[in-house]
Amino acid sequence: MKQHLKALIVVLIIAVLGVWAFNSFYASKLKEGPTSYASLESMEKDGVSNFSMKDLAGQTFELKSYEGKIVILNFWASWCAPCIEEVPSLIKLVNEFKGEVQLIAISGDSSREDIDVFMKSFPELKGAHIKIVWDEDRSLMKQFQVARLPESLVLNKEHKLAKKLVGSIDWYNKDSIAYMNTLLGK
């Protein structure tokens, strides 16, 4: 009987320690998760906060300067194979809409030289409806809680989040074109 009582006490102590460890270490992490969802819901309901950045040419621009247009915020890096894979179709989609869809391609590269080499492979990225930004301090990636590359946010004409895409996709297909037309009210 004493052995059963000792075993019960050991089990209770282990359970109490387990609950304490969970509350101390993991519960706070679980509280952080919904923040992401809350941010997504906020971007869907209230829109994306304006931000100001410099493009690779050194020109400062603001997100709000594209009000009335669909904006794709595309987070990428030159070393990211899926990012490279989706660039041609993304360029075709933006060009298809002749200014109604704007691309802000935000690089998470660690050096400007890496971006410059990448740009030599894709000269079409210097198009009129495309801004390339080097997020040197990762402030935009943090602001938009980018976890993996590529990651894209499609903003409607009021700059409310319409869609968040994680991973590489084929941007230039009949479904994507139809989706953009829907966002444009066509």
Side-chain angles (χ1 to χ4, degrees):
M1 183 76 162
K2 286 186 178 184
Q3 286 182 337
H4 286 31
L5 188 57
K6 286 180 183 178
L8 182 60
I9 291 172
V10 168
V11 167
L12 285 174
I13 290 172
I14 291 172
V16 168
L17 288 174
V19 169
W20 174 81
F22 177 81
N23 284 332
S24 297
F25 300 105
Y26 298 107
S28 64
K29 295 292 181 195
L30 290 176
K31 289 178 187 170
E32 292 173 13
T35 305
S36 303
Y37 296 115
S39 295
L40 290 175
E41 288 175 8
S42 174
M43 286 190 285
E44 289 172 345
K45 181 182 171 204
D46 304 323
V48 172
S49 299
N50 186 42
F51 61 85
S52 176
M53 292 292 290
K54 284 188 178 183
D55 63 15
L56 291 185
Q59 302 295 316
T60 301
F61 69 95
E62 293 185 342
L63 176 63
K64 71 179 181 180
S65 65
Y66 296 113
E67 284 180 359
K69 298 178 185 296
I70 305 299
V71 175
I72 300 170
L73 299 176
N74 177 257
F75 294 89
W76 63 281
S78 63
W79 47 262
C80 165
C83 300
I84 296 166
E85 180 182 303
E86 76 176 356
V87 167
S89 67
L90 190 52
I91 293 168
K92 283 182 184 177
L93 179 74
V94 170
N95 289 338
E96 174 81 17
F97 286 93
K98 299 174 180 46
E100 293 179 295
V101 175
Q102 298 286 320
L103 170 62
I104 301 175
I106 303 162
S107 172
D109 277 292
S110 55
S111 78
R112 171 66 192 258
E113 293 77 27
D114 292 340
I115 299 169
D116 291 339
V117 170
F118 180 84
M119 294 296 290
K120 288 179 184 174
S121 299
F122 295 101
E124 307 88 13
L125 281 171
K126 294 179 182 173
H129 312 298
I130 301 172
K131 291 282 187 187
I132 308 295
V133 172
W134 180 28
D135 192 17
E136 186 175 5
D137 63 356
R138 311 283 194 289
S139 59
L140 285 175
M141 293 179 95
K142 289 174 191 165
Q143 177 181 341
F144 292 105
Q145 301 173 357
V146 173
R148 296 187 301 181
L149 298 176
E151 197 165 303
S152 298
L153 302 174
V154 179
L155 310 180
N156 67 17
K157 293 191 294 186
E158 294 79 33
H159 293 174
K160 293 181 180 181
L161 179 65
K163 188 171 282 298
K164 179 176 181 170
L165 302 160
V166 179
S168 176
I169 67 165
D170 176 9
W171 287 91
Y172 192 71
N173 61 51
K174 69 177 188 165
D175 293 332
S176 295
I177 292 169
Y179 181 71
M180 292 298 162
N181 278 322
T182 300
L183 290 177
L184 290 165
K186 293 182 176 181

